[in-house]
Amino acid sequence: ILFLVTKEIIFAGLTLVTMISMLGSDVQQEVKKYGWKHEIIDTVISIIIVLVFWFGLQVLLNSSTPVSVIVTCSMLPELDRGDLVLVQGTSIETKEINMSKIEFENLNNYDVLVHYKDSTFPVKGSIYSYCKFNSINQDPVCNDFIKEPEEFIEQKGDLKFHYSMCNINYLEEGVSVQEPCVTSMEYGDKEYEMNLTQDKIVYTPEEGTYFSYIGDIIHRAQLKINVDGEEYYLAKGDNNQLFDIQIYDYDYDLGNLPAKNLKGREIFK
C-alpha cells in the first residue's frame, strides 16, 4: 500500500523482502510438518499449474507474451511503471500508409536531414537526440531548437517530422516540463497528428538496436506501414519526445528501426 501511494522504490524493495521471507517461512513449516518429499511434490504441482495457466493465456489471447509489465515512464499518464497489462494478438487500430520496398529501405538507417530556415544538415536519429548529446558543448542551432522547435522539420526517407512544445512528465522528480517534441508526421501530401486514442502495442525490437537492450516495448502505434504484404509500425511513447525510430544514443552509436515483431495490443491493465 505504501508503494502504491508513494511510488518510492524502498517500499517496493521491502515488499519483495517480505514476500521472500513469507515464502521461506512457509516452506520451512511445510517441511517440518510433512517432510521434503511432500514439499517437492507440492512445488512441482504449483509449477505445472503456473505453466498451464501461462500457455492457456497464450492460446486464449493469441499472443506469445499475454502478460507484460511497464518498466519506464514513457506511457504516462495512461500506463505507470509497475503496471501489468494483458496483451492480445489481434488487428491493430491505427492509421495506415502504403510504401514501396525502396521507400521503406530509406527508413532502415539512422540518418536524417534537418531543415531549419534556409539551412539543411544531416544528423543521426533526430535533432532532439543530437542536441541532447551536444548539451555540454552546445551547438548554437540547439539553442534555436529549444526556443523555436516549430521552425525545424526532420526528414527520414519520405517521412517528415514536425516539432512543437509539449508537457513531459518526470515521475521521479515529480515535475512536468515544457520540452520540444514531435507533434505530427507528414507522408506525401498528408499530415498525421499524434493520436492518443489509437492502440497501444507490445513489440520486440530488432536485435542490435538501442531498444533491444531494454526488452519488449509497450508504446502507442501512430502509423502502420504496409510494404508488399508485410506490416511495420511507427510507435511513440505518450510521454516521450520522439517516435521510437528517432531515438538515438550517440554514446553507443545505436538507434531504432520500425517495429515488426508484434506481440499484440494492450487490452487491460
Side-chain angles (χ1 to χ4, degrees):
I1 292 171
L2 285 170
F3 173 71
L4 290 173
V5 171
T6 65
K7 297 296 181 182
E8 291 291 337
I9 195 70
I10 187 171
F11 295 125
L14 289 172
T15 302
L16 178 62
V17 171
T18 303
M19 291 175 68
I20 292 172
S21 300
M22 291 171 66
L23 178 63
S25 176
D26 182 61
V27 169
Q28 191 178 35
Q29 290 177 33
E30 289 292 310
V31 169
K32 282 183 180 179
K33 274 187 180 182
Y34 307 108
W36 277 107
K37 184 179 179 181
H38 177 276
E39 183 61 24
I40 291 171
I41 293 172
D42 198 40
T43 302
V44 170
I45 291 172
S46 297
I47 291 171
I48 291 171
I49 290 171
V50 169
L51 290 175
V52 169
F53 176 75
W54 178 256
F55 288 114
L57 272 182
Q58 286 185 339
V59 173
L60 185 66
L61 295 176
N62 189 33
S63 174
S64 59
T65 308
V67 179
S68 195
V69 64
I70 308 300
V71 296
T72 72
C73 302
S74 65
M75 284 301 294
L76 286 173
E78 279 211 24
L79 297 175
D80 200 351
R81 206 167 44 185
D83 286 346
L84 290 174
V85 298
L86 287 182
V87 181
Q88 182 181 31
T90 184
S91 58
I92 307 300
E93 185 179 320
T94 188
K95 296 185 178 73
E96 296 184 33
I97 62 172
N98 297 307
M99 274 189 177
S100 67
K101 278 193 174 180
I102 295 174
E103 285 180 307
F104 184 73
E105 282 302 315
N106 292 328
L107 301 182
N108 279 318
N109 59 67
Y110 305 143
D111 300 321
V112 298
L113 284 176
V114 178
H115 304 284
Y116 172 57
K117 293 184 177 178
D118 296 327
S119 63
T120 299
F121 54 93
V123 297
K124 293 284 188 180
S126 61
I127 181 62
Y128 184 95
S129 298
Y130 171 80
C131 288
K132 186 176 180 181
F133 177 75
N134 287 280
S135 59
I136 298 174
N137 303 313
Q138 192 85 333
D139 186 323
V141 76
C142 293
N143 290 323
D144 296 338
F145 176 61
I146 293 170
K147 293 175 184 175
E148 46 184 9
E150 298 87 357
E151 296 293 327
F152 288 77
I153 297 175
E154 198 170 281
Q155 186 168 354
K156 187 178 181 70
D158 292 314
L159 297 178
K160 292 181 180 179
F161 299 91
H162 298 267
Y163 285 86
S164 188
M165 296 298 286
C166 304
N167 282 322
I168 303 297
N169 297 300
Y170 289 92
L171 188 64
E172 291 181 2
E173 292 83 356
V175 296
S176 181
V177 180
Q178 282 272 310
E179 291 188 1
C181 71
V182 173
T183 49
S184 69
M185 178 175 51
E186 188 180 339
Y187 175 69
D189 58 353
K190 193 168 182 180
E191 191 168 351
Y192 302 87
E193 294 186 357
M194 296 303 94
N195 189 321
L196 300 184
T197 65
Q198 296 176 158
D199 283 341
K200 297 180 283 292
I201 61 172
V202 179
Y203 72 91
T204 301
E206 295 289 333
E207 189 176 345
T209 58
Y210 179 64
F211 274 174
S212 67
Y213 296 94
I214 299 172
D216 284 355
I217 302 298
I218 306 177
H219 283 165
R220 194 180 302 277
Q222 291 293 342
L223 196 67
K224 179 166 79 171
I225 304 176
N226 298 307
V227 186
D228 291 350
E230 293 194 31
E231 297 176 352
Y232 299 85
Y233 291 85
L234 299 184
K236 178 182 177 296
D238 293 355
N239 196 45
N240 280 355
Q241 298 89 342
L242 306 169
F243 275 80
D244 296 352
I245 63 169
Q246 295 177 282
I247 295 174
Y248 185 84
D249 191 299
Y250 275 79
D251 289 322
Y252 293 96
D253 193 26
L254 285 174
N256 296 312
L257 301 174
K260 181 183 179 184
N261 306 314
L262 222 62
K263 303 296 183 181
R265 65 182 178 97
E266 178 256 352
I267 59 171
F268 184 75
K269 72 168 180 175

